Amino acid sequence: MTSNGRTPDEAAEERLLDIRDLRLAFGNVVALDNCSLYARPGEVTAIIGDNGAGKSSLIKCILGVNRPTGGTMTFRGQPHTALSPHQAKDLGIEAVFQDLALFDDLTLWQNMFIGREVRRRVGPLALLAKREMAARADEMVSRLTVNVPSARRTVRSMSGGQRQAVAIARAVAWGSELVIMDEPTAALGLRERTEVEEVILGLRAEQRSFLLISHSFDQVMRLSDAVWVMRQGRAVAHRRTRDTTGEELVALVTGAKSAEL
């Protein structure tokens, strides 16, 4: 039985992402060493660890950038030995990185619809439906707690918090099942960081699912439902956030406290 009274099989049924014994090696360098962890739907699952612990290698495997050399990954109950980036997107796995991958000189709506442009046929021509895309982009960001300007404004004119909110909105706007956030507020000031965290909490309340990579244990405690600790390419500890403290997480990451799954 698990700690909440369910059998292991019942607990496994609740898993959106289930990674078991994942291995990634580059020649003699082992980036992931039989790493196993999972994430439940409708939750923010944090992954923490020192630099070199394997966090980036893990998320690149999930996104299809790296091809694992061993182990399995199950997403929404379907096994996937290895994914391509295109397959990961088709499954509904999106990512928001520190650099945001936004185009400064394009408008908000153009950034939201890159690669997903809406066209309307007029006779033999297929024309961009600019007004429709701008209106839909306004709808996409209207429920965010950050005051994002008109969809017709360029990204360059926005604050750091607004840019981050747009990047998150773009990731979740297309029916994403899982959004991976890698240090989503690392370059932001206190006010902007608070605004972005409110966006994440609001989306979590809508049962959106996130993987959060963060070096800020305070942020992990504020945002996450569960925490995995990685060290030397392995997931060495798992905690429900309500049952741990920032101090314990520090001790688990540094090895001052014995890790346990």
Side-chain angles (χ1 to χ4, degrees):
M1 299 286 286
T2 61
S3 59
N4 60 8
R6 296 184 176 92
T7 68
D9 287 342
E10 289 172 332
E13 289 177 3
E14 299 175 356
R15 297 176 183 181
L16 174 66
L17 174 71
D18 195 355
I19 292 171
R20 301 191 182 188
D21 299 324
L22 207 66
R23 183 174 175 82
L24 178 66
F26 302 97
N28 293 326
V29 178
V30 177
L32 295 173
D33 184 15
N34 295 324
C35 180
S36 297
L37 55 79
Y38 61 87
R40 292 177 175 172
E43 293 191 346
V44 176
T45 301
I47 302 176
I48 62 175
D50 283 336
N51 291 333
K55 304 185 301 296
S56 294
S57 297
L58 176 65
I59 64 174
K60 287 179 180 178
C61 287
I62 298 170
L63 291 168
V65 177
N66 287 338
R67 187 178 184 87
T69 50
T72 62
M73 181 173 75
T74 301
F75 189 72
R76 296 175 59 189
Q78 298 298 314
H80 301 279
T81 303
L83 296 172
S84 68
H86 181 73
Q87 289 170 327
K89 281 187 174 293
D90 284 348
L91 288 172
I93 303 174
E94 297 279 350
V96 178
F97 294 103
Q98 229 174 306
D99 62 7
L100 302 186
L102 297 175
F103 295 89
D104 286 349
D105 293 319
L106 297 183
T107 63
L108 185 157
W109 73 260
Q110 287 172 320
N111 273 277
M112 295 289 284
F113 280 88
I114 283 177
R116 297 181 170 96
E117 291 83 359
V118 177
R119 289 178 168 82
R120 293 288 177 257
R121 187 160 291 282
V122 180
L125 303 177
L127 303 179
L128 288 174
K130 296 180 181 179
R131 290 184 181 179
E132 179 181 340
M133 288 188 283
R136 287 176 59 184
D138 273 331
E139 291 176 8
M140 290 173 183
V141 299
S142 63
R143 53 196 173 87
L144 301 180
T145 54
V146 175
N147 181 24
V148 176
S150 165
R152 294 167 177 81
R153 290 271 298 275
T154 63
V155 167
R156 188 180 298 279
S157 66
M158 299 179 190
S159 70
Q162 290 171 334
R163 293 181 186 210
Q164 190 67 269
V166 168
I168 294 172
R170 183 178 63 180
V172 303
W174 306 106
S176 301
E177 296 285 340
L178 178 68
V179 177
I180 299 172
M181 298 182 295
D182 189 4
E183 300 291 349
T185 62
L188 302 181
L190 177 60
R191 180 180 62 81
E192 293 177 330
R193 183 172 69 243
T194 300
E195 290 175 343
V196 172
E197 289 183 357
E198 288 175 354
V199 169
I200 296 168
L201 288 172
L203 291 168
R204 185 186 69 173
E206 298 177 8
Q207 296 299 298
R208 296 285 186 173
S209 305
F210 295 91
L211 277 185
L212 170 66
I213 314 299
S214 178
H215 282 100
S216 171
F217 294 165
D218 288 341
Q219 181 176 76
V220 167
M221 293 299 297
R222 287 192 298 271
L223 298 183
S224 71
D225 299 282
V227 187
W228 291 92
V229 179
M230 289 192 67
R231 197 185 315 141
Q232 296 180 333
R234 299 174 64 92
V236 297
H238 178 242
R239 295 287 188 274
R240 297 298 292 176
T241 308
R242 63 176 177 264
D243 297 328
T244 189
T245 64
E247 291 76 12
E248 183 187 30
L249 295 180
V250 171
L252 289 167
V253 167
T254 61
K257 179 172 182 175
S258 297
E260 56 188 46
L261 290 174

